[in-house]
Amino acid sequence: MSNTQNLESSSQRKNYLDQLESEAIYIMREVAGQFERPALLFSGGKDSITLVRLAQKAFAPGKIPFPLVHIDTGHNFPEAIQYRDWLANEVGAKLIVRQVEDTIKAKGLKEQTGKNATRNWLQTYTLLDTIEEFEFDACIGGARRDEEKARAKERIFSFRDEFGQWDPKRQRPELWNLFNGKISKGENVRAFPISNWTELDVWSYIEREKIPLPTIYFSHQREMILRDGNLLANADFIYKDEADVIVTKTVRFRTVGDMTCTAAVESEADTIEKVVNEIKATRISERGETRIDDQQTEAAMEDRKKGGYF
Amino acid sequence: MDILRFITAGSVDDGKSTLIGRLLYDTKSILADQMEAVERASKTRGDGEIDLALLTDGLRSEREQGITIDVAYKYFQTPNRKFISIDAPGHIQYTRNMVTGASNADLAIILIDARQGVVEQTRRHSLIASLLGIPHIVVAVNKMDLVGYSEDVFLQIAQEYQKLASKLNIKDLKIIPVSALAGDNIVDKSEATPWYTGETMLHYLENVDVLNDLNLTDARFSVQYVLRPQTEELHDYRGYAGRIQSGVFRKGDPITVLPSEQTSKISKIEIYGEEVEEASAPQSVTLLLETDVDISRGDLISGNGNQPVLSQDVEATICWMDDRKELKVGNKYTLQHGTTRVRCSIKGIEYRIDINNYEQLEDVESLKLNDVAKVVIRTAKPLAYDSYQNNRANGAAILIDETSNVTVGACMVEA
């Protein structure tokens, strides 16, 4: 054993990104070890892209031992869908896609209409059906506790009843790194390996690992709808009225959700380094700046989670 | 830059949430829209003042009742360190939440109201911090502004606390006079306490050494998952994936697999597919062995040197967490330790600890929610464990109710 090796291993213990990575990989492996049919919920956003990289590392040199599942609202950015297909192929993972549109038709669900209509709530139906169809007992998600108040209270292994519901008052105590994934048939666990990461940690990790991202995360010109101070990408399925102004802007997206509820920021940042610098300097939180769905009420996320949301 | 995880213990009245709010605010970790939301909520509640506590109370019922119900995590960073603050409620009926929060903390901030001094709650929080083996305790004597920044008051409380601490297992203790509301000695040294020459709260949090708190002597590794890619080029590959719980593993080290007591040598250590010469806690790695050994999830790989205890009899301090059923002698549970799960039964309750005055109460028949006690457990298979006070990772266990699957007990094992 030489001194340099000693230094190497102790500097790795000191580096916060290594610590976060090590913890996330530990959680991934616990999911694979404790459950029979796990799945990774993939949205095409930077957090789930980070999860895929962590899963690759957790099971290297083998392949990721669970499928990637995408609940497609039909309102995604085309760039995100393209990226999704490319990535699944690149890492050699099985990709399962289920369409919210199909659930709407099959179940005769009523969609929101008019301004700011979103399929955000409807995704939950498709998600729960997909969990039932494949009998998934654990779903890995990219939620982070710094994102939102309700998420700050959620366990890393979050128990959901047979209706997928989260009950914040009856959460299992989660001690040390001993995750209790014991469930009965029909119940499932949502597991969040990057719970302790912040938005900046995710961006810094993507930069360090040189993880390719969908192009919408970088500065580009786009036709936008200017509405209530938010910039929404223009698309046929977005309801517009006289108050909406169509403008061409140089923008990037800080989060990637549905086109109906994800706002862009005006930015010239066209490389990951520039994006990281902008994130460091920002004075507005990610969800506050870009998620129209969370601007609606104080407890929007808490309510969605209680209903079975991610 | 590394990470410090700390828990704050104290009640709303002690200014706990205000302290965290202050740390977030003064390190510029509160973003404009979050601040606006707090201002809005403060106005709705009608007290006029901006209530920094609202930054940490996330659930609807918490905001309605103005109390913290569950463990909440907040994140902030300075150029030196990334902080994870764990906020747990302080009332006695929430002891299990504090135990939960404390289980992952490197440091505990215990708040004392300068007007009241050491109270029952201080004793309780200090005992829990000590039982959970938190290496560093910072006592924040808060609301100094309300006692005229009196040195005498501070010294008296400090002395009283030191007396209390001498009965507990506290490795590193720091006592700081602060006012979370006014910001005294939180980030900047206060001009109101010229008699205090020590560090500010943030300075201490930024500089306290937590790297050496890990046990780097006893090499322990719980197998999480066996990697067998079974592709053509990796036909014979068999790697044991897991996280090093304590100590250091090096290529060539002799090892013992427990509980089977088979021996072998490490042929390779990989971190995410790339080979390294050595690795240490808490890194996630993959170990490969020189010989074919029968190993599966739940086995413990132990390095040379001190060996863990291998036994079916376990003595542990337990915190009972079930609000529906009591723990009774003879009850059976699933015990989870490392990555192993084994059935167990409770052989006896030696004594219950009164968490307010540390008295040991004997002749106890059962434990109810939030009780802390010394118990004797018998496991169905031998367990390879270390003493919790020497090795938090390999001395911790949870009990799971076999019918509800709920986590009902936190065990700190003695060896």
Side-chain angles (χ1 to χ4, degrees):
Chain A
M1 176 199 73
S2 74
N3 280 331
T4 45
Q5 279 154 13
N6 233 336
L7 276 174
E8 200 180 309
S9 123
S10 96
S11 76
Q12 257 165 357
R13 277 190 286 123
K14 276 185 197 159
N15 181 292
Y16 76 104
L17 281 179
D18 286 322
Q19 290 179 3
L20 291 173
E21 178 186 62
S22 176
E23 176 183 86
I25 285 172
Y26 171 79
I27 296 163
M28 288 271 181
R29 288 167 168 176
E30 275 307 282
V31 174
Q34 289 197 28
F35 296 92
E36 280 173 31
R37 271 182 290 277
L40 190 154
L41 299 176
F42 185 79
S43 70
K46 65 178 191 315
D47 298 316
S48 59
I49 291 169
T50 300
L51 286 184
V52 172
R53 171 58 59 95
L54 291 164
Q56 276 184 289
K57 287 193 168 196
F59 304 103
K63 290 212 165 122
I64 300 174
F66 35 73
L68 312 183
V69 172
H70 183 224
I71 304 303
D72 187 348
T73 56
H75 291 171
N76 289 286
F77 288 89
E79 293 94 328
I81 300 291
Q82 233 173 17
Y83 178 92
R84 173 197 76 191
D85 296 341
W86 168 82
L87 183 71
N89 185 48
E90 180 77 11
V91 303
K94 188 179 168 198
L95 176 68
I96 295 169
V97 179
R98 287 293 176 270
Q99 306 286 346
V100 172
E101 186 76 41
D102 295 340
T103 316
I104 293 173
K105 281 185 190 143
K107 294 204 147 92
L109 299 177
K110 193 169 155 21
E111 273 199 84
Q112 292 182 358
T113 50
K115 229 171 172 174
N116 295 326
T118 155
R119 288 182 167 174
N120 217 322
W121 266 101
L122 296 180
Q123 285 185 81
T124 304
Y125 293 96
T126 315
L127 173 65
L128 297 181
D129 285 353
T130 310
I131 288 173
E132 239 176 73
E133 178 186 351
F134 294 93
E135 295 179 48
F136 293 132
D137 46 8
C139 295
I140 300 168
R144 308 188 321 265
R145 285 171 176 158
D146 85 317
E147 260 180 277
E148 205 278 332
K149 291 187 290 280
R151 287 190 163 167
K153 301 270 168 169
E154 194 167 9
R155 304 289 184 259
I156 289 175
F157 269 29
S158 179
F159 172 79
R160 301 297 178 97
D161 67 14
E162 57 187 314
F163 302 99
Q165 300 177 108
W166 179 56
D167 183 352
K169 287 193 178 161
R170 295 215 61 85
Q171 298 195 83
R172 294 177 176 176
E174 195 162 75
L175 296 130
W176 298 289
N177 51 10
L178 298 171
F179 299 114
N180 173 5
K182 278 190 79 147
I183 50 170
S184 302
K185 204 168 162 49
E187 300 166 342
N188 72 85
V189 162
R190 307 285 168 84
F192 302 114
I194 58 168
S195 286
N196 287 325
W197 298 40
T198 62
E199 182 194 16
L200 183 58
D201 295 334
V202 171
W203 281 108
S204 305
Y205 187 73
I206 288 169
E207 182 182 11
R208 187 184 87 169
E209 298 287 309
K210 302 186 173 62
I211 303 173
L213 289 182
T215 51
I216 41 177
Y217 278 111
F218 302 103
S219 175
H220 61 288
Q221 279 216 335
R222 199 175 195 113
E223 193 172 276
M224 309 296 290
I225 307 168
L226 180 61
R227 175 185 296 172
D228 304 330
N230 290 313
L231 283 172
L232 287 167
N234 194 11
D236 293 343
F237 51 76
I238 298 180
Y239 176 92
K240 285 160 285 236
D241 66 17
E242 317 77 51
D244 294 323
V245 186
I246 308 291
V247 287
T248 302
K249 291 276 184 188
T250 305
V251 296
R252 67 175 169 80
F253 289 87
R254 191 168 162 192
T255 67
V256 170
D258 274 6
M259 293 179 83
T260 54
C261 60
T262 309
V265 293
E266 288 192 66
S267 165
E268 301 281 343
D270 54 0
T271 64
I272 182 79
E273 294 79 17
K274 289 181 192 166
V275 172
V276 170
N277 282 334
E278 283 194 1
I279 302 285
K280 278 183 185 160
T282 186
R283 299 298 307 144
I284 304 178
S285 78
E286 190 180 28
R287 286 202 163 254
E289 183 169 60
T290 68
R291 287 303 175 92
I292 294 161
D293 44 342
D294 284 331
Q295 293 168 10
Q296 292 178 354
T297 78
E298 183 82 350
M301 174 67 84
E302 184 178 341
D303 293 341
R304 286 206 301 276
K305 275 186 174 288
K306 284 178 178 165
Y309 192 71
F310 301 108
Chain B
M1 189 159 81
D2 64 352
I3 303 176
L4 177 81
R5 294 173 205 241
F6 69 92
I7 183 171
T8 41
S11 71
V12 182
D13 309 332
D14 293 336
K16 177 175 54 106
S17 298
T18 313
L19 175 73
I20 298 178
R22 173 60 65 184
L23 282 168
L24 292 169
Y25 187 75
D26 286 357
T27 56
K28 305 197 168 38
S29 311
I30 303 173
L31 298 170
D33 58 315
Q34 295 168 326
M35 198 62 207
E36 275 166 30
V38 168
E39 284 169 8
R40 239 186 352 257
S42 301
K43 264 187 208 137
T44 317
R45 286 174 45 178
D47 31 22
E49 292 274 316
I50 291 174
D51 185 356
L52 290 173
L54 291 172
L55 282 167
T56 57
D57 292 336
L59 299 171
R60 196 198 301 267
S61 43
E62 291 177 318
R63 287 193 299 277
E64 281 165 4
Q65 297 170 41
I67 52 161
T68 311
I69 294 170
D70 207 273
V71 186
Y73 301 85
K74 280 278 159 192
Y75 302 82
F76 63 100
Q77 66 182 63
T78 64
N80 301 331
R81 206 164 233 180
K82 186 179 150 70
F83 296 95
I84 302 179
S85 113
I86 307 167
D87 186 12
H91 297 290
I92 190 156
Q93 65 266 36
Y94 297 118
T95 297
R96 70 169 167 181
N97 297 61
M98 186 182 163
V99 169
T100 301
S103 72
N104 284 316
D106 307 307
L107 180 146
I109 300 177
I110 293 176
L111 280 119
I112 295 179
D113 185 332
R115 295 169 303 175
Q116 296 178 9
V118 172
V119 293
E120 196 174 90
Q121 181 165 263
T122 318
R123 290 180 222 284
R124 185 166 71 239
H125 294 160
S126 302
L127 176 76
I128 293 170
S130 150
L131 285 176
L132 271 290
I134 300 180
H136 311 275
I137 307 280
V138 189
V139 175
V141 180
N142 192 24
K143 305 196 183 180
M144 287 301 294
D145 51 326
L146 300 182
V147 294
Y149 297 101
S150 156
E151 184 181 11
D152 286 346
V153 170
F154 173 74
L155 288 177
Q156 206 185 332
I157 293 173
Q159 202 179 15
E160 204 183 338
Y161 190 85
Q162 266 149 354
K163 213 169 94 192
L164 175 165
S166 64
K167 294 183 200 155
L168 299 170
N169 176 23
I170 294 175
K171 292 172 191 134
D172 175 32
L173 173 65
K174 195 100 205 160
I175 307 177
I176 305 177
V178 302
S179 165
L181 197 65
D184 294 296
N185 294 326
I186 303 291
V187 172
D188 297 313
K189 267 198 70 81
S190 170
E191 286 171 17
T193 55
W195 43 266
Y196 175 71
T197 51
E199 295 164 276
T200 64
M201 180 66 74
L202 186 66
H203 187 268
Y204 181 67
L205 295 180
E206 279 190 300
N207 292 289
V208 59
D209 181 10
V210 290
L211 209 58
N212 289 319
D213 297 335
L214 281 170
N215 177 329
L216 291 174
T217 318
D218 307 321
R220 307 280 184 266
F221 176 94
S222 278
V223 177
Q224 286 187 276
Y225 193 80
V226 182
L227 288 169
R228 295 183 60 208
Q230 290 177 308
T231 55
E232 221 159 279
E233 67 268 35
L234 295 165
H235 193 261
D236 295 323
Y237 185 98
R238 199 179 165 86
Y240 305 103
R243 195 177 190 188
I244 300 177
Q245 291 170 295
S246 61
V248 183
F249 285 91
R250 295 183 187 87
K251 186 177 174 171
D253 278 358
I255 57 96
T256 307
V257 182
L258 296 165
S260 64
E261 299 188 88
Q262 307 164 90
T263 56
S264 185
K265 272 186 179 174
I266 295 176
S267 65
K268 225 179 192 189
I269 303 174
E270 290 182 350
I271 296 189
Y272 325 138
E274 290 185 29
E275 193 174 348
V276 294
E277 289 295 308
E278 68 157 42
S280 57
Q283 286 179 291
S284 283
V285 300
T286 303
L287 300 182
L288 290 89
L289 301 182
E290 277 183 7
T291 49
D292 271 339
V293 202
D294 178 18
I295 300 181
S296 52
R297 177 178 162 86
D299 285 335
L300 183 90
I301 296 178
S302 167
N304 247 1
N306 297 331
Q307 291 302 302
V309 175
L310 186 64
S311 169
Q312 284 177 262
D313 296 302
V314 183
E315 261 198 359
T317 303
I318 189 170
C319 173
W320 191 246
M321 301 186 150
D322 196 357
D323 52 2
R324 296 181 179 181
K325 284 184 266 180
E326 296 188 344
L327 173 140
K328 292 198 175 83
V329 175
N331 282 6
K332 291 185 175 54
Y333 301 96
T334 297
L335 182 145
Q336 184 172 330
H337 167 256
T339 55
T340 194
R341 281 197 193 130
V342 56
R343 287 195 85 191
C344 72
S345 88
I346 307 296
K347 286 289 154 200
I349 303 173
E350 292 191 357
Y351 53 82
R352 186 167 78 76
I353 301 168
D354 183 321
I355 57 176
N356 292 321
N357 59 24
Y358 310 163
E359 274 175 36
Q360 297 180 359
L361 310 162
E362 286 171 22
D363 301 319
V364 181
E365 300 278 305
S366 63
L367 299 180
K368 53 185 196 314
L369 177 66
N370 294 323
D371 279 352
V372 175
K374 172 73 86 56
V375 295
V376 183
I377 299 169
R378 172 88 178 164
T379 57
K381 283 190 311 188
L383 210 63
Y385 60 87
D386 289 286
S387 144
Y388 182 82
Q389 292 296 338
N390 285 331
N391 192 334
R392 278 173 101 181
N394 199 41
I398 55 172
L399 294 186
I400 300 171
D401 185 289
E402 293 187 323
T403 50
S404 69
N405 291 329
V406 170
T407 305
V408 289
C411 305
M412 281 77 61
V413 169
E414 284 172 27

